[in-house]
């Protein structure tokens, strides 16, 4: 049986939670986002992170307000941790309050519980002589002449590069920069264009980006083969939302929304043809504050 102090403490927590939601309903849901980063976010607000931000804002009785900045080095410093007025360094008013997608446990921000988990895939354009490939490991055992004809893309920093190197295929890989300076194409957009132009036939690519590429072509234009994590190479990752360190109240509000709206979140993400995995228990941390 609970003692009176426990009951009083519970009532106090409920009051504070209710107050937080009421207070927040008078504010805006301020998001830091890239204006050209499909399928995550765009200035047209048609990315899946845009849709989830809309869902959360509606639940809180708020409107979404964006601070737009390309996701390059310094993104968090210049958005989430930047004062509303650049000259007001002591201000508690910031340009934005939430980054909709960061790796679970990201050390630059405080992170919520993860809201989806995806994996890298081997994405292969069909009809180019590679339709017999159903597992990535088949590439390792191909005859040398066929291996040498591979046009497989990977990123300069990523598990795809590590996998190709470990399997003796790095020499046939075509490297792309993980952060592009192109203001008209993000990485997924460039890969999609190069696949269509037959500059490459396949790519080891993060699931959401692969999902975007498949939505830009007729159905069944690509084979999407999940890469399997090993003790040496991790391909699957859980994704969370980021808030400023110390902003525990906002984190808890977001955690509640992530739990309450899990089905709707999954439905939104599924509409973008993104491969989803069950969220691993290891990714759900209670000690990141």
């Amino acid at each position: 049986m609970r003692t009176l102090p426990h009951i009083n403490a519970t009532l106090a927590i409920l009051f504070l939670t209710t107050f937080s939601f009421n207070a927040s309903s008078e504010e805006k849901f301020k998001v830091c986002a890239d204006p050209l980063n499909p399928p995550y976010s765009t200035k047209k607000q048609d990315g899946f992170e845009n849709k989830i931000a809309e869902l959360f804002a509606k639940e809180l009785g708020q409107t979404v307000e964006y601070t737009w900045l390309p996701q390059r080095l310094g993104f968090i410093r210049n958005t989430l941790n930047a004062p509303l007025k650049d000259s007001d360094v002591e201000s508690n008013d910031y340009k934005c309050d939430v980054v909709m997608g960061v790796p679970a446990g990201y050390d630059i921000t405080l992170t919520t519980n993860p809201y989806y988990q995806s994996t890298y895939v081997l994405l292969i354009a069909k009809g180019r002589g590679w339709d017999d490939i159903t597992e990535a490991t088949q590439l390792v055992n191909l005859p040398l002449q066929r291996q040498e004809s591979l046009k497989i893309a990977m990123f300069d920093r990523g598990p795809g590069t590590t996998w190709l190197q470990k399997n003796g295929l790095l020499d046939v890989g075509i490297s792309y920069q993980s952060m592009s300076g192109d203001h008209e194409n993000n990485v997924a957009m460039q890969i999609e264009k190069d696949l269509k132009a037959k500059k490459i036939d396949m790519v080891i690519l993060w699931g959401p980006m692969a999902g975007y590429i498949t939505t830009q072509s007729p159905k069944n234009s690509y084979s999407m083969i999940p890469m399997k994590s090993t003790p040496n190479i991790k391909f699957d990752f859980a994704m969370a939302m980021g808030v400023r360190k110390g902003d525990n109240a906002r984190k808890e509000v977001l955690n509640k929304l992530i739990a309450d709206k899990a089905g709707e979140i999954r439905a939104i993400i599924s509409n973008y043809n993104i491969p989803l995995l069950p969220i691993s228990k290891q990714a759900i941390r209670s000690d990141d504050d």
Side-chain angles (χ1 to χ4, degrees), residues 3-229:
T3 62
L4 185 58
H6 285 142
I7 294 172
N8 288 339
T10 301
L11 289 173
I13 291 170
L14 289 172
F15 170 78
L16 288 172
T17 302
T18 302
F19 175 79
S20 295
F21 271 92
N22 288 340
S24 65
S25 67
E26 299 173 1
E27 301 170 359
K28 295 178 180 179
F29 194 81
K30 297 168 64 177
V31 178
C32 331
D34 189 320
L36 186 66
N37 196 25
Y40 308 100
S41 62
T42 74
K43 219 162 191 177
K44 295 179 181 178
Q45 300 183 34
D46 55 6
F48 73 85
E49 290 180 353
N50 299 127
K51 300 300 183 184
I52 295 170
E54 289 174 15
L55 173 68
F56 281 17
K58 182 178 179 181
E59 187 68 15
L60 295 172
Q62 300 175 342
T63 56
V64 182
E65 179 180 275
Y66 282 98
T67 292
W68 300 109
L69 189 72
Q71 284 202 358
R72 308 286 190 265
L73 293 175
F75 177 78
I76 297 297
R77 181 179 70 251
N78 292 307
T79 55
L80 188 68
N81 292 335
L84 189 59
K85 296 181 179 179
D86 293 335
S87 59
D88 194 359
V89 293
E90 300 298 326
S91 174
N92 289 322
D93 291 326
Y94 295 88
K95 290 183 177 179
C96 44
D97 299 318
V98 183
V99 180
M100 296 302 295
V102 298
Y106 192 45
D107 59 2
I108 299 179
T109 70
L110 183 64
T111 58
T112 65
N113 292 334
Y115 67 99
Y116 77 95
Q117 185 157 336
S118 188
T119 183
Y120 278 76
V121 302
L122 175 62
L123 188 71
I124 304 176
K126 290 185 176 180
R128 301 188 191 176
W130 304 104
D131 293 356
D132 61 316
I133 303 298
T134 57
E135 293 285 341
T137 52
Q138 288 177 256
L139 299 179
V140 181
N141 300 315
L142 291 174
L144 182 60
Q145 185 176 5
R146 199 173 178 206
Q147 277 189 355
E148 290 176 344
S149 69
L150 281 169
K151 292 188 288 186
I152 180 170
M154 78 293 188
F155 292 97
D156 51 358
R157 290 174 291 179
T161 298
T162 304
W163 186 87
L164 289 170
Q165 185 175 29
K166 284 185 176 293
N167 288 286
L169 295 172
L170 191 60
D171 288 345
V172 298
I174 300 170
S175 180
Y176 283 75
Q177 291 184 341
S178 53
M179 286 188 180
S180 169
D182 191 336
H183 295 291
E184 297 181 358
N185 297 284
N186 80 332
V187 174
M189 295 168 71
Q190 188 61 57
I191 290 285
E192 189 261 337
K193 288 181 178 181
D194 289 352
L195 279 164
K196 284 185 175 177
K198 299 186 178 181
K199 293 180 180 179
I200 54 177
D201 293 328
M202 61 186 76
V203 56
I204 298 176
L205 190 63
W206 174 230
M209 292 183 178
Y212 167 77
I213 290 171
T214 63
T215 63
Q216 304 307 300
S217 296
K219 191 175 181 180
N220 296 321
S221 295
Y222 295 94
S223 297
M224 189 186 291
I225 303 168
M227 300 295 291
K228 297 177 181 178
S229 293

